[in-house]
Amino acid sequence: MKRTIACAIGLVAVALLPSKAAATAYRVVIEDMKFGPTPAALKVGDSIEWVNHDIFRHTATARDGSFAVDLPAGKTGRSVIKHAGKIGFFCRYHPGMTGSLTVSP
Amino acid sequence: MVKSFLAASAFALLALPGATLAQGAAKPSDAQIAHIAYTAGQIDIAAGEQALAKSKNQAVRGFAAEMVRDHKAVNEKALALVKKLGVTPEANPTSKALSSQADQKRAELAKLSGAAFDRVYVANEVAYHRTVNGALKDTLIPSAQNAELKSLLQTGLALFSEHQAHAEHLAASQKK
């Protein structure tokens, strides 16, 4: 019974989603004190896996506060893109490390 | 001409007040470079630990923690690299001068507390990173023979330039 309800809710949720392509998971690599290339075709709902290949702790912090990922040396973290537009980001510890995302709706 | 003058001044600055490597041997060897770079890192780790023990200012403590963490990471990598390369870091007048200057600064800072400590610590971090970065850029990186050592020094320069900017920003905010 519970399962049927859950299934039904799941179906409704899927049906309510816009008829656009499913969310995509991207990856941005940090190496040698630099953010690598960012994905060109980002959409709201997509996610970014931040991969820190450096021996230093970094962060991927959005200037508008929409994400803030702590990235200890050698670790990864994930953020979901919540809104469209151009979103600048930087490392809180090394603010000269910057980049930006261009997100379509 | 201007460039070589700048290089010479940066290195002389780093070596002050002791004798300089520039007299006699024009270029430091990889073993000497490794010792200078490692010593420079250890000095900033010790300074950061002193700040964490004495300062109550959150911005200063955050900066100091970052210095300890980042410089430890570089020095661990440096130790692993010299071991791999079979290079024994070699003490030299530049690394000795750095250490004795740092001892003096640590003793001076030990007598201070509160905002006075924070100001002198941060001002010294600005000056120290500026000096070390100048030496890395103009002398140590160009002189390094081993490609992996050169690459680690370049990563170090990118990192320490960030530290310099952070320290300058902190120093500017203390004046407000």
Side-chain angles (χ1 to χ4, degrees), chain A residues 32-33 55-57 93-97, chain B residues 66 69-70 73-74 77 155 159 162 166:
Chain A
D32 293 332
M33 299 290 297
I55 55 173
F56 316 114
R57 182 174 171 182
Y93 301 117
H94 313 109
M97 292 172 59
Chain B
E66 181 187 325
R69 189 173 66 231
D70 284 353
V74 180
K77 182 109 187 212
T155 302
L159 178 75
E162 285 295 326
H166 191 164

Side-chain angles (χ1 to χ4, degrees), chain B:
Chain B
M1 171 62 189
V2 172
K3 203 172 165 189
S4 63
F5 172 74
L6 284 176
S9 356
F11 202 54
L13 193 62
L14 178 60
L16 278 174
T20 76
L21 274 176
Q23 306 164 342
K27 282 184 169 187
S29 68
D30 281 6
Q32 291 173 326
I33 291 169
H35 201 274
I36 295 166
Y38 187 82
T39 303
Q42 290 303 105
I43 286 169
D44 210 48
I45 292 167
E49 285 170 345
Q50 186 184 34
L52 286 172
K54 289 183 70 92
S55 178
K56 291 181 175 63
N57 179 291
Q58 279 313 306
V60 171
R61 294 182 63 82
F63 174 81
E66 181 187 325
M67 294 308 106
V68 171
R69 189 173 66 231
D70 284 353
H71 284 280
K72 271 187 180 168
V74 180
N75 271 5
E76 275 168 25
K77 182 109 187 212
L79 276 188
L81 179 61
V82 294
K83 198 174 166 192
K84 181 184 148 194
L85 299 176
V87 170
T88 306
E90 182 191 319
N92 55 77
T94 303
S95 56
K96 281 180 192 155
L98 276 175
S99 293
S100 72
Q101 280 174 308
D103 289 344
Q104 284 173 24
K105 189 49 88 171
R106 193 157 43 242
E108 179 193 334
L109 279 161
K111 292 177 198 149
L112 302 174
S113 60
F117 173 89
D118 292 343
R119 261 198 310 279
V120 177
Y121 167 66
V122 172
N124 186 53
E125 287 295 295
V126 171
Y128 185 70
H129 280 91
R130 209 175 269 167
T131 303
V132 171
N133 289 341
L136 274 169
K137 192 159 143 264
D138 298 326
T139 307
L140 304 181
I141 291 171
S143 304
Q145 295 298 308
N146 179 275
E148 283 181 84
L149 177 62
K150 200 186 270 276
S151 163
L152 181 59
L153 294 170
Q154 278 160 342
T155 302
L157 177 59
L159 178 75
F160 307 157
S161 300
E162 285 295 326
H163 292 171
Q164 186 184 327
H166 191 164
E168 284 166 356
H169 181 81
L170 203 52
S173 70
Q174 285 176 328
K175 282 176 189 147
K176 280 175 193 167

